[in-house]
PDB file of all heavy atoms in Angstrom:
ATOM      1  N   SER A 632     -24.451  -1.850   8.329  1.00 41.00           N
ATOM      2  CA  SER A 632     -25.555  -2.755   8.009  1.00 41.00           C
ATOM      3  C   SER A 632     -25.098  -3.856   7.072  1.00 41.00           C
ATOM      4  O   SER A 632     -25.548  -4.995   7.164  1.00 41.00           O
ATOM      5  CB  SER A 632     -26.709  -1.970   7.381  1.00 41.00           C
ATOM      6  OG  SER A 632     -26.322  -1.444   6.128  1.00 41.00           O
ATOM      7  N   PHE A 633     -24.169  -3.528   6.155  1.00 39.00           N
ATOM      8  CA  PHE A 633     -23.659  -4.530   5.226  1.00 39.00           C
ATOM      9  C   PHE A 633     -22.916  -5.623   5.979  1.00 39.00           C
ATOM     10  O   PHE A 633     -22.982  -6.801   5.645  1.00 39.00           O
ATOM     11  CB  PHE A 633     -22.745  -3.872   4.201  1.00 39.00           C
ATOM     12  CG  PHE A 633     -22.159  -4.844   3.212  1.00 39.00           C
ATOM     13  CD1 PHE A 633     -22.894  -5.286   2.140  1.00 39.00           C
ATOM     14  CD2 PHE A 633     -20.871  -5.321   3.376  1.00 39.00           C
ATOM     15  CE1 PHE A 633     -22.360  -6.180   1.234  1.00 39.00           C
ATOM     16  CE2 PHE A 633     -20.330  -6.217   2.479  1.00 39.00           C
ATOM     17  CZ  PHE A 633     -21.083  -6.639   1.398  1.00 39.00           C
ATOM     18  N   ARG A 634     -22.187  -5.226   7.037  1.00 41.00           N
ATOM     19  CA  ARG A 634     -21.395  -6.192   7.793  1.00 41.00           C
ATOM     20  C   ARG A 634     -22.193  -6.839   8.915  1.00 41.00           C
ATOM     21  O   ARG A 634     -21.650  -7.580   9.720  1.00 41.00           O
ATOM     22  CB  ARG A 634     -20.162  -5.499   8.366  1.00 41.00           C
ATOM     23  CG  ARG A 634     -19.169  -5.057   7.308  1.00 41.00           C
ATOM     24  CD  ARG A 634     -18.036  -4.271   7.901  1.00 41.00           C
ATOM     25  NE  ARG A 634     -17.404  -5.013   8.977  1.00 41.00           N
ATOM     26  CZ  ARG A 634     -16.527  -4.476   9.831  1.00 41.00           C
ATOM     27  NH1 ARG A 634     -16.204  -3.214   9.733  1.00 41.00           N
ATOM     28  NH2 ARG A 634     -15.993  -5.211  10.771  1.00 41.00           N
ATOM     29  N   GLY A 635     -23.495  -6.528   9.012  1.00 43.00           N
ATOM     30  CA  GLY A 635     -24.316  -7.175  10.018  1.00 43.00           C
ATOM     31  C   GLY A 635     -24.114  -6.657  11.410  1.00 43.00           C
ATOM     32  O   GLY A 635     -24.485  -7.319  12.378  1.00 43.00           O
ATOM     33  N   GLU A 636     -23.542  -5.471  11.563  1.00 41.00           N
ATOM     34  CA  GLU A 636     -23.269  -4.948  12.895  1.00 41.00           C
ATOM     35  C   GLU A 636     -24.461  -4.180  13.460  1.00 41.00           C
ATOM     36  O   GLU A 636     -24.477  -3.842  14.632  1.00 41.00           O
ATOM     37  CB  GLU A 636     -22.037  -4.040  12.863  1.00 41.00           C
ATOM     38  CG  GLU A 636     -20.774  -4.782  12.533  1.00 41.00           C
ATOM     39  CD  GLU A 636     -19.596  -3.862  12.413  1.00 41.00           C
ATOM     40  OE1 GLU A 636     -19.780  -2.653  12.538  1.00 41.00           O
ATOM     41  OE2 GLU A 636     -18.493  -4.370  12.187  1.00 41.00           O
ATOM     42  N   LYS A 637     -25.456  -3.873  12.596  1.00 35.00           N
ATOM     43  CA  LYS A 637     -26.675  -3.231  13.095  1.00 35.00           C
ATOM     44  C   LYS A 637     -27.877  -4.031  12.612  1.00 35.00           C
ATOM     45  O   LYS A 637     -28.068  -5.169  13.019  1.00 35.00           O
ATOM     46  CB  LYS A 637     -26.722  -1.769  12.640  1.00 35.00           C
ATOM     47  CG  LYS A 637     -25.698  -0.901  13.367  1.00 35.00           C
ATOM     48  CD  LYS A 637     -25.922   0.579  13.073  1.00 35.00           C
ATOM     49  CE  LYS A 637     -24.927   1.429  13.863  1.00 35.00           C
ATOM     50  NZ  LYS A 637     -25.118   2.877  13.578  1.00 35.00           N
ATOM     51  N   ASN A 638     -28.660  -3.493  11.741  1.00 35.00           N
ATOM     52  CA  ASN A 638     -29.862  -4.151  11.259  1.00 35.00           C
ATOM     53  C   ASN A 638     -29.537  -5.028  10.064  1.00 35.00           C
ATOM     54  O   ASN A 638     -29.179  -4.540   9.008  1.00 35.00           O
ATOM     55  CB  ASN A 638     -30.897  -3.093  10.872  1.00 35.00           C
ATOM     56  CG  ASN A 638     -32.203  -3.738  10.456  1.00 35.00           C
ATOM     57  OD1 ASN A 638     -32.354  -4.951  10.497  1.00 35.00           O
ATOM     58  ND2 ASN A 638     -33.162  -2.901  10.069  1.00 35.00           N
ATOM     59  N   LYS A 639     -29.639  -6.334  10.218  1.00 36.00           N
ATOM     60  CA  LYS A 639     -29.283  -7.246   9.133  1.00 36.00           C
ATOM     61  C   LYS A 639     -30.224  -7.103   7.948  1.00 36.00           C
ATOM     62  O   LYS A 639     -29.888  -7.502   6.831  1.00 36.00           O
ATOM     63  CB  LYS A 639     -29.297  -8.681   9.647  1.00 36.00           C
ATOM     64  CG  LYS A 639     -28.204  -8.978  10.663  1.00 36.00           C
ATOM     65  CD  LYS A 639     -28.218 -10.434  11.067  1.00 36.00           C
ATOM     66  CE  LYS A 639     -27.100 -10.732  12.055  1.00 36.00           C
ATOM     67  NZ  LYS A 639     -27.084 -12.152  12.459  1.00 36.00           N
ATOM     68  N   ASN A 640     -31.442  -6.592   8.189  1.00 32.00           N
ATOM     69  CA  ASN A 640     -32.393  -6.438   7.099  1.00 32.00           C
ATOM     70  C   ASN A 640     -32.320  -5.073   6.424  1.00 32.00           C
ATOM     71  O   ASN A 640     -33.097  -4.778   5.526  1.00 32.00           O
ATOM     72  CB  ASN A 640     -33.822  -6.640   7.638  1.00 32.00           C
ATOM     73  CG  ASN A 640     -34.013  -8.044   8.169  1.00 32.00           C
ATOM     74  OD1 ASN A 640     -33.514  -8.996   7.594  1.00 32.00           O
ATOM     75  ND2 ASN A 640     -34.743  -8.161   9.290  1.00 32.00           N
ATOM     76  N   ALA A 641     -31.380  -4.241   6.877  1.00 29.00           N
ATOM     77  CA  ALA A 641     -31.268  -2.902   6.279  1.00 29.00           C
ATOM     78  C   ALA A 641     -30.716  -3.010   4.865  1.00 29.00           C
ATOM     79  O   ALA A 641     -30.098  -3.994   4.485  1.00 29.00           O
ATOM     80  CB  ALA A 641     -30.357  -2.025   7.131  1.00 29.00           C
ATOM     81  N   ALA A 642     -30.961  -1.986   4.102  1.00 30.00           N
ATOM     82  CA  ALA A 642     -30.442  -1.967   2.728  1.00 30.00           C
ATOM     83  C   ALA A 642     -28.932  -1.977   2.753  1.00 30.00           C
ATOM     84  O   ALA A 642     -28.312  -1.236   3.510  1.00 30.00           O
ATOM     85  CB  ALA A 642     -30.956  -0.719   2.004  1.00 30.00           C
ATOM     86  N   LYS A 643     -28.337  -2.807   1.924  1.00 31.00           N
ATOM     87  CA  LYS A 643     -26.884  -2.970   1.921  1.00 31.00           C
ATOM     88  C   LYS A 643     -26.253  -1.940   0.988  1.00 31.00           C
ATOM     89  O   LYS A 643     -25.760  -2.261  -0.083  1.00 31.00           O
ATOM     90  CB  LYS A 643     -26.517  -4.388   1.498  1.00 31.00           C
ATOM     91  CG  LYS A 643     -27.081  -5.451   2.438  1.00 31.00           C
ATOM     92  CD  LYS A 643     -26.737  -6.839   1.945  1.00 31.00           C
ATOM     93  CE  LYS A 643     -27.296  -7.903   2.852  1.00 31.00           C
ATOM     94  NZ  LYS A 643     -26.983  -9.265   2.373  1.00 31.00           N
ATOM     95  N   THR A 644     -26.281  -0.709   1.411  1.00 29.00           N
ATOM     96  CA  THR A 644     -25.829   0.380   0.558  1.00 29.00           C
ATOM     97  C   THR A 644     -24.336   0.550   0.703  1.00 29.00           C
ATOM     98  O   THR A 644     -23.861   0.918   1.760  1.00 29.00           O
ATOM     99  CB  THR A 644     -26.530   1.692   0.948  1.00 29.00           C
ATOM    100  OG1 THR A 644     -27.925   1.466   0.909  1.00 29.00           O
ATOM    101  CG2 THR A 644     -26.154   2.811  -0.014  1.00 29.00           C
ATOM    102  N   LEU A 645     -23.581   0.269  -0.360  1.00 29.00           N
ATOM    103  CA  LEU A 645     -22.137   0.440  -0.334  1.00 29.00           C
ATOM    104  C   LEU A 645     -21.690   1.631  -1.164  1.00 29.00           C
ATOM    105  O   LEU A 645     -20.519   1.934  -1.201  1.00 29.00           O
ATOM    106  CB  LEU A 645     -21.438  -0.824  -0.844  1.00 29.00           C
ATOM    107  CG  LEU A 645     -21.236  -1.897   0.195  1.00 29.00           C
ATOM    108  CD1 LEU A 645     -20.432  -3.036  -0.401  1.00 29.00           C
ATOM    109  CD2 LEU A 645     -20.559  -1.365   1.412  1.00 29.00           C
ATOM    110  N   SER A 646     -22.624   2.265  -1.872  1.00 33.00           N
ATOM    111  CA  SER A 646     -22.270   3.457  -2.620  1.00 33.00           C
ATOM    112  C   SER A 646     -22.726   4.676  -1.838  1.00 33.00           C
ATOM    113  O   SER A 646     -23.588   4.583  -0.985  1.00 33.00           O
ATOM    114  CB  SER A 646     -22.918   3.454  -3.999  1.00 33.00           C
ATOM    115  OG  SER A 646     -22.443   2.363  -4.750  1.00 33.00           O
ATOM    116  N   ALA A 647     -22.144   5.831  -2.136  1.00 32.00           N
ATOM    117  CA  ALA A 647     -22.481   7.032  -1.398  1.00 32.00           C
ATOM    118  C   ALA A 647     -23.788   7.617  -1.907  1.00 32.00           C
ATOM    119  O   ALA A 647     -24.447   7.066  -2.784  1.00 32.00           O
ATOM    120  CB  ALA A 647     -21.352   8.032  -1.514  1.00 32.00           C
TER     121      ALA A 647
END
Side-chain angles (χ1 to χ4, degrees):
S632 66
F633 179 80
R634 293 175 54 192
E636 294 176 357
K637 289 190 177 179
N638 184 3
K639 293 184 178 180
N640 297 321
K643 299 178 181 179
T644 305
L645 276 185
S646 297

